[in-house]
Amino acid sequence: GHMVTSRTPGLLLRLQCLVVCTMLMFLSGSLFVLVNIVDTYSFNERWLDKQWGFALEEGQPWTAPVWMGEFGYLNHGSFWLTFMRYLSSRDVDFAYWAINGIKFSEGFNGADGVYHPLDGGPRWVVELFGILGPDWQTVKKAWMIRDLQALMESPARWLPTDIGCISDFLGHFCDIPFTGPDAADADAR
């Protein structure tokens, strides 16, 4: 038969560690590639074209007008940038949600997927996706106004390299108060 020595258990343990480490490296590499591909414009462009963008192709039996209704996003991050680029490249008309700075709420759906009523009952709360502040006059997302105005032109002129606020790429919100063109004119005087 086989001769078992005192070195065999140590050798088997090292072999198992090598196999586990190789599998972990492969899984980590696969996850890294997947995350970096999914977050690219070309991936999102192909996905959106497959979902509904194909209807914009001129001269086809399936060609149809497309209105992108009620989209919104909290920050000037990668999703916003790729989505704006897609809408601009296809010259898609849209309705942004929401302009209001406050909303009446009875509760919210949590990350756990469960509805949670507000403590103290229904009331007016800040609309996180709103372009305006709670006073309905302050523009709290100037970068968003700029991007949406560029999309309104026909053909759209939005440029994906035109970044309004670097802090979003670090995972922060970019709610910079917009004082309007009068303040800029006053500063120049």
Side-chain angles (χ1 to χ4, degrees):
H2 291 59
M3 182 190 269
V4 178
T5 65
S6 61
R7 293 184 189 179
T8 304
L11 183 61
L12 289 175
L13 180 62
R14 281 182 264 173
L15 183 59
Q16 288 173 339
C17 286
L18 177 66
V19 169
V20 168
C21 287
T22 303
M23 288 174 54
L24 287 174
M25 285 176 41
F26 176 75
L27 290 172
S28 297
S30 299
L31 183 62
F32 177 79
V33 168
L34 179 65
V35 166
N36 286 301
I37 288 174
V38 169
D39 201 25
T40 64
Y41 175 73
S42 59
F43 175 84
N44 285 297
E45 178 184 41
R46 285 190 306 273
W47 188 82
L48 290 169
D49 280 346
K50 184 178 178 184
Q51 299 303 312
W52 53 266
F54 65 89
L56 295 164
E57 191 177 338
E58 291 291 330
Q60 299 298 328
W62 57 80
T63 301
V66 173
W67 176 268
M68 173 50 57
E70 293 192 10
F71 71 94
Y73 204 62
L74 287 176
N75 63 29
H76 203 241
S78 62
F79 172 80
W80 179 266
L81 294 172
T82 57
F83 196 60
M84 290 295 99
R85 182 176 171 189
Y86 183 82
L87 294 179
S88 178
S89 70
R90 303 298 192 276
D91 202 22
V92 175
D93 294 316
F94 65 92
Y96 180 79
W97 173 81
I99 192 168
N100 49 302
I102 57 175
K103 64 180 179 180
F104 192 78
S105 180
E106 296 178 1
F108 61 94
N109 290 318
D112 56 4
V114 176
Y115 179 79
H116 301 275
L118 290 177
D119 292 336
R123 64 181 173 277
W124 289 95
V125 297
V126 171
E127 170 58 74
L128 296 176
F129 293 93
I131 293 173
L132 300 177
D135 63 2
W136 288 75
Q137 295 179 27
T138 306
V139 175
K140 68 178 183 177
K141 297 182 185 216
W143 58 268
M144 189 177 291
I145 294 285
R146 185 207 51 217
D147 289 355
L148 294 175
Q149 284 176 334
L151 278 181
M152 285 190 260
E153 294 181 13
S154 188
R157 66 170 173 83
W158 187 86
L159 301 173
T161 56
D162 190 12
I163 299 170
C165 155
I166 290 296
S167 66
D168 285 329
F169 293 98
L170 302 176
H172 304 285
F173 292 120
C174 186
D175 292 347
I176 300 171
F178 178 71
T179 55
D182 296 337
D185 292 343
D187 291 341
R189 289 184 226 151

